[in-house]
Amino acid sequence: MTAVPHDPNCIFCKIIAGQIPSKKVYEDEEIFAFHDIHPWAPVHFLMVPKLHIPSMAQVGTEHAALLGRMMALAPKLALQEGCRPYPEGGFRIVCNTGEDGGQEVHHLHVHVIGGPRPWLKG
Ligand code: AMP
Ligand code: ZN
């Protein structure tokens, strides 16, 4: 499946639509961010495009601006959510893609993970 505006069977589409509750971090016309339900670290949130793109494997040049906006927003949200400033602090960005990439939810999402160590994973 390629990008569709909304997949009624997708858990992240349901979160974006408010049909499943989430702890919202940020929202605009194109992007939604919320806390991961099983955090690995003191800060762990997910950034998703509102458009249902299954994974990075379906990304094309038409999505470059959207992904660019997500990347530019990540450091701002990371600080807002409690990551310490670079270089002592910082964060990790993870984007699992496909089975081999460990992707469980097939709506493109970027993990933003940070805060003081030790972390549960990673
Ligand atoms: P992955 O597809 O492996 O990159 O990761 C999916 C992530 O979504 C996991 O870290 C889950 O903990 C998280 N997750 C799954 N369901 C929810 C939910 N309802 N609310 C918040 N996070 C979720
Ligand atoms: Zn979706």
Side-chain angles (χ1 to χ4, degrees):
M1 189 196 276
T2 54
V4 293
H6 178 90
D7 176 348
N9 299 314
C10 168
I11 184 167
F12 286 176
C13 283
K14 288 180 186 167
I15 285 176
I16 293 161
Q19 292 159 354
I20 291 178
S22 71
K23 280 175 68 186
K24 184 161 87 174
V25 165
Y26 176 86
E27 179 173 14
D28 65 28
E29 326 73 58
E30 289 187 311
I31 298 167
F32 196 88
F34 55 101
H35 289 274
D36 196 292
I37 206 164
H38 293 127
W40 306 358
V43 178
H44 187 171
F45 62 90
L46 304 174
M47 299 179 70
V48 303
K50 288 190 171 176
L51 182 69
H52 178 89
I53 306 171
S55 80
M56 282 298 289
Q58 288 75 29
V59 165
T61 49
E62 68 274 27
H63 305 121
L66 169 62
L67 293 192
R69 288 194 57 234
M70 285 175 67
M71 287 300 110
L73 186 59
K76 296 181 176 63
L77 297 184
L79 285 177
Q80 176 191 300
E81 293 306 307
C83 290
R84 296 170 298 166
Y86 177 92
E88 294 79 12
F91 51 85
R92 177 178 293 178
I93 284 180
V94 174
C95 189
N96 298 325
T97 305
E99 296 285 323
D100 287 348
Q103 184 179 7
E104 288 175 2
V105 177
H106 291 265
H107 180 130
L108 195 155
H109 54 281
V110 169
H111 296 254
V112 182
I113 304 160
R117 289 176 179 271
W119 295 355
L120 225 55
K121 275 208 274 187

